[in-house]
Amino acid sequence: MSEMSREEELILLYVLGALEGEELEEAERLIASNTEETRRMLADYESVASLLPYAARPAVPSPDLKK
C-alpha cells in the first residue's frame, strides 16, 4: 500500500472536519487551487464520507431508559 501524499491527507482530513488553524487554511488554499487532481480527491473523499453513517450500527437504548 502506498503512502498518502500531504495533499491527499489534508483533503481527507478536511472532508472529515478534522482540521484547524494553519492546516485548515492550507487545505482551503489547496482546494481553491481547483486542480483536476484536487477536485478528484475532494469528490472521492466526499463520496466515501457520505456513506459513513450507514456503516454504524443502530444505537439501542437500555430497556431501563423509560424508568
Side-chain angles (χ1 to χ4, degrees):
M1 188 167 161
S2 64
E3 287 191 29
M4 187 178 288
S5 70
R6 171 74 176 163
E7 291 82 11
E8 190 171 7
E9 181 180 5
L10 282 171
I11 291 176
L12 170 60
L13 294 172
Y14 175 85
V15 168
L16 295 175
L19 294 178
E20 294 179 345
E22 291 180 17
E23 286 186 324
L24 176 58
E25 291 173 6
E26 185 179 352
E28 289 171 339
R29 283 191 301 274
L30 179 62
I31 292 166
S33 71
N34 202 30
T35 65
E36 183 177 337
E37 181 68 11
T38 301
R39 286 191 310 271
R40 183 195 59 78
M41 283 190 285
L42 188 60
D44 287 350
Y45 285 126
E46 286 176 335
S47 176
V48 171
S50 72
L51 299 174
L52 289 176
Y54 299 106
R57 291 186 183 166
V60 179
S62 166
D64 298 329
L65 185 62
K66 288 186 178 183
K67 291 179 184 178

